[in-house]
Amino acid sequence: MQIGDVNSARSPFQQKRYEEQKELQSVFSEVLESVGIAGYETADPITSDLPLDEQIRDAWDGWYQLERVGRYRNAEDPAELGGKFAVVIDRAYREGGYADPKSFLNTLSTDELKTVQNVHWLADSIDVHSLTEEGALNLLIPPAAQVDLNRDGLTQSGLAYGIRFPDSTTPKPVADAFDAATAGLSEMDRSLHVLHMKMPVLLANIHLNSDGSFSHQVEPGDPNFRNPMLEEGYSYQQAAQEWIDYLDYFKSTMSEHRYESERAFWTDFQSRMPQDA
């Protein structure tokens, strides 16, 4: 199966969710680029003649209506929540919120901040003063379209750091290959491969002593925090090959089903990428 065959691997509902997510990322990438901020590497050009504020409302509504039976199925009054957040992001666009998110968040009422908190499933109330620029910006962006503003390999929303792949910095050929290779997988299996893809970021910031014992860990926000996936010479092709080599080496320690399914995924993903990816 090639990248163009990806639709056939998803159920109609999964395919619709995928399309709505891509539309959301494209529209909010346009919003961010209008204020000089990089959006998604994978964002498609906007072809609609509608004003951008209308596209924002349509993209949010299309994505949110599907997520009401998923992410927001246990939310209190989900219809009201979606409508209230639509008002917030409309204001953010019209009032310069994406250019200066912290200042904009400071203009929101307690009820509006509560809406933002609930949309992003934040455990604690929002303290705008404590937010980084990335953490503040992503509160004004729907969860599926949030960006890695400082390019550290993590996506921060509020005070929370999230791991996602593809993220806003992932090259389009690699993102397309990953989306195709994971099409039709369960959410759990796909999430596991997302974690696998981000292991270089996590491991690069754990430091060991000369005897192999743990020394220290560099935390996000520290100037020494590394994202090797954006360093010169990083190869997604090589990363996939290293997983294949790992599976071959430890084949005898795992079930035949696990070995075959995992190796099939990494081989498929690798084959879909350009050789220089």
Side-chain angles (χ1 to χ4, degrees):
M1 183 179 69
Q2 297 304 308
I3 292 176
D5 302 323
V6 63
N7 293 3
S8 64
R10 295 190 175 98
S11 70
F13 179 72
Q14 289 174 322
Q15 181 60 25
K16 184 62 175 175
R17 286 184 72 189
Y18 176 76
E19 291 171 356
E20 294 293 349
Q21 175 175 299
K22 299 299 286 185
E23 177 68 12
L24 198 69
Q25 291 173 356
S26 293
V27 169
F28 275 87
S29 291
E30 186 79 7
V31 171
L32 295 177
E33 288 166 10
S34 72
V35 295
I37 297 173
Y40 268 71
E41 293 283 341
T42 56
D44 294 321
I46 297 296
T47 58
S48 173
D49 293 329
L50 290 175
L52 192 52
D53 59 344
E54 292 186 34
Q55 294 184 55
I56 292 170
R57 289 194 295 271
D58 289 348
W60 162 250
D61 186 63
W63 179 82
Y64 184 77
Q65 293 310 315
L66 289 180
E67 294 303 319
R68 284 181 60 178
V69 299
R71 182 191 297 258
Y72 299 105
R73 65 184 178 275
N74 295 321
E76 182 178 346
D77 199 345
E80 182 180 35
L81 177 63
K84 285 184 172 181
F85 190 68
V87 171
V88 170
I89 58 180
D90 180 66
R91 275 191 57 199
Y93 175 68
R94 289 186 289 104
E95 299 176 15
Y98 294 100
D100 190 356
K102 294 185 73 170
S103 294
F104 175 77
L105 286 169
N106 274 320
T107 72
L108 298 183
S109 67
T110 300
D111 184 58
E112 288 171 323
L113 285 173
K114 185 67 174 179
T115 293
V116 174
Q117 177 186 349
N118 290 339
V119 162
H120 296 292
W121 290 119
L122 303 180
D124 300 318
S125 299
I126 297 170
D127 175 13
V128 178
H129 177 73
S130 67
L131 300 177
T132 65
E133 195 73 8
E134 180 177 319
L137 176 65
N138 279 328
L139 292 180
L140 302 175
I141 300 175
Q146 293 173 334
V147 295
D148 179 6
L149 183 64
N150 66 359
R151 301 172 68 83
D152 66 353
L154 304 175
T155 302
Q156 188 178 26
S157 177
L159 297 178
Y161 288 94
I163 295 173
R164 61 177 66 191
F165 189 88
D167 64 13
S168 62
T169 69
T170 306
K172 183 173 175 55
V174 176
D176 287 346
F178 186 82
D179 286 340
T182 56
L185 294 184
S186 68
E187 287 296 323
M188 180 177 295
D189 286 342
R190 191 180 194 282
S191 296
L192 182 61
H193 290 309
V194 168
L195 179 60
H196 288 159
M197 293 304 303
K198 283 293 183 174
M199 287 301 289
V201 177
L202 304 178
L203 295 178
N205 292 287
I206 296 175
H207 295 267
L208 305 178
N209 295 311
S210 58
D211 62 359
S213 61
F214 176 80
S215 171
H216 66 282
Q217 181 171 335
V218 180
E219 299 295 335
D222 188 295
N224 293 317
F225 191 88
R226 287 182 56 215
N227 177 11
M229 299 177 78
L230 288 184
E231 293 176 358
E232 184 176 358
Y234 185 81
S235 169
Y236 290 95
Q237 276 279 351
Q238 181 179 339
Q241 185 61 50
E242 287 173 355
W243 278 107
I244 293 170
D245 293 344
Y246 167 85
L247 290 166
D248 288 345
Y249 187 81
F250 288 102
K251 179 180 179 179
S252 62
T253 68
M254 62 187 74
S255 70
E256 182 179 359
H257 172 74
R258 180 191 170 194
Y259 170 76
E260 290 181 350
S261 62
E262 290 289 301
R263 199 181 196 285
F265 165 77
W266 290 107
T267 302
D268 183 35
F269 173 48
Q270 186 184 52
S271 71
R272 294 173 183 275
M273 289 187 288
Q275 288 299 312
D276 59 353

